[in-house]
Amino acid sequence: MPAEGLMNEPTNPGPVTAFLAACNAHDWAGAVALYTPDASHTEAATGKSRAGTEALKAGLAGFGAMMPDACWNEVERILSGPHVLLRYELSGTFGTPGRALRLPGVFMFTLTATGRIAATTDFWDKDAFLAQIRQD
């Protein structure tokens, strides 16, 4: 049974489902629209963070330019209070010339009581990523 304040996630298309769908459609503006205006995103592997609508838009657009066919495949979803952990496998082609990439990771979403995304943290293995995109 879903936790209170998660808009019946995951049985109804809630913010996490909508976020994943927008990202897989490369609808970066649609993904950012699910965040609160002062929301933040952190890349745990690099320690870099962005906050606010414009910074989130720039970050997603930049990622989309680096990996134009990115696809996040959901593996598992865990609910814990206002948090949703989403295990995924990212696949696609990175950079030019394109390098095939398959990378497991975990998104941690912090949701507001009204169903908006207040924060995301993305966890992935930096060494595994670098090994796949390095040129020989």
Side-chain angles (χ1 to χ4, degrees), residues 82-94:
H83 304 288
V84 178
L85 299 179
L86 178 74
R87 287 187 41 222
Y88 66 82
E89 181 179 75
L90 172 63
S91 61
T93 310
F94 184 87

Side-chain angles (χ1 to χ4, degrees), residues 101-112:
L101 179 70
R102 295 187 83 75
L103 188 68
V106 175
F107 268 122
M108 183 176 76
F109 294 83
T110 301
L111 304 178
T112 67

